[in-house]
Amino acid sequence: MAATQLTASPVTVSARSLASLRASSAKFGTLKPGTLKQSQFRSLVVRAASVVAPKYTSIKPLGDRVLVKIKEAEEKTMGGILLPSTAQSKPQGGEVVAVGEGRTIGKTKIDIDVPTGAQIIYSKYAGTEVEFNDVQHLILKEDDIVGLLETEDIKDLKPLNDRVFIKVAEAEEKTAGGLLLTETTKEKPSIGTVIAVGPGSLDEEGKRQPLSISTGSTVLYSKYAGNDFKGKDSSNYIALRASDVMAILS
């Protein structure tokens, strides 16, 4: 997490948590000596998003949730330039290290399709971050997993459920009058070519409903939907739900 840490061994408190403690002290008055015992906070790690005690040796996700070991952020650009922590993009991928028992839809028991050890891409703002054994993890629902990625190139993403993976059309380089557009003034396209589709969502009986969108189709999609990615070929890609696709163009 990017929160600044103020450390006073053996307790680590984030700046945000410290501000909260100060606010509490102002509201309720100063704590009397002896009110808190050292044993109550020994080896406790306080984070903005989670509280983890090192005495726990495992995390078992429940229901349709999975536990993901978050991939480390890229410290360098493709050209080898070292990035400061503030410029490093937040990872959206990781390795599944544990899965829940699944869920029940109607009378059908639905197991989690993603196996442990799988490399996945997940929605940008999904899940709850947990630091476990000094490593950042994420607990999220299976439905928040965008797809499987078995290589280092996003173009090989295999979407799950009702997700559609699209190669975005290139933005117009010039205006109708012939003026060159800069990167900041180019309008974000909302048209692209479908390169992969998921198996479909589950209906009320737990059966898969195939998507009506097929690979190779040129589609128009909602402008602000989905998760954007940049491929190693410098092409832009987007993964979104089939419901965010508005039309098929031909």
Side-chain angles (χ1 to χ4, degrees), residues 162-185:
D162 61 341
R163 296 307 203 295
V164 179
F165 192 49
I166 296 169
K167 183 176 182 180
V168 179
E170 293 185 8
E172 293 293 334
E173 299 284 344
K174 296 181 180 180
T175 66
L179 294 176
L180 280 174
L181 295 170
T182 63
E183 288 297 324
T184 54
T185 56

Side-chain angles (χ1 to χ4, degrees), residues 206-233:
K207 297 179 180 179
R208 289 283 177 191
Q209 297 299 312
L211 301 181
S212 58
I213 304 167
S214 58
T215 57
S217 299
T218 300
V219 296
L220 175 68
Y221 54 86
S222 182
K223 193 169 187 177
Y224 301 104
N227 293 270
D228 299 302
F229 305 97
K230 175 78 75 172
K232 288 189 174 182
D233 58 357

Side-chain angles (χ1 to χ4, degrees), residues 87-239:
Q88 294 173 15
S89 59
K90 182 179 179 181
Q92 280 183 253
E95 178 187 352
V96 176
V97 294
V99 300
E101 67 275 13
R103 56 179 171 147
T104 301
I105 299 180
K107 296 182 179 180
T108 306
K109 176 70 166 59
I110 307 297
D111 294 326
I112 292 180
D113 289 335
V114 182
T116 56
Q119 298 293 324
I120 66 165
I121 299 294
Y122 48 82
S123 296
K124 181 175 289 187
Y125 302 109
T128 299
E129 289 189 17
V130 177
E131 183 177 305
F132 181 63
N133 290 338
D134 297 324
V135 178
Q136 291 293 334
H137 290 74
L138 189 71
I139 299 177
L140 71 163
K141 290 193 172 186
E142 183 186 20
D143 191 53
D144 289 323
I145 299 175
V146 174
L148 305 176
L149 187 61
E150 298 174 351
T151 71
E152 292 294 322
D153 198 340
I154 193 64
K155 71 179 179 62
D156 298 320
L157 180 73
K158 296 179 179 178
L160 297 178
N161 299 317
D162 61 341
R163 296 307 203 295
V164 179
F165 192 49
I166 296 169
K167 183 176 182 180
V168 179
E170 293 185 8
E172 293 293 334
E173 299 284 344
K174 296 181 180 180
T175 66
L179 294 176
L180 280 174
L181 295 170
T182 63
E183 288 297 324
T184 54
T185 56
K186 290 178 182 177
E187 185 175 355
K188 179 184 176 182
S190 54
I191 294 175
T193 303
V194 178
I195 59 175
V197 298
S201 57
L202 298 171
D203 63 16
E204 296 179 353
E205 296 180 353
K207 297 179 180 179
R208 289 283 177 191
Q209 297 299 312
L211 301 181
S212 58
I213 304 167
S214 58
T215 57
S217 299
T218 300
V219 296
L220 175 68
Y221 54 86
S222 182
K223 193 169 187 177
Y224 301 104
N227 293 270
D228 299 302
F229 305 97
K230 175 78 75 172
K232 288 189 174 182
D233 58 357
S234 297
S235 296
N236 293 311
Y237 297 87
I238 187 168

Side-chain angles (χ1 to χ4, degrees), residues 21-32:
L21 289 173
R22 286 174 176 168
S24 299
S25 297
K27 183 175 181 181
F28 297 105
T30 304
L31 292 174
K32 296 181 180 179

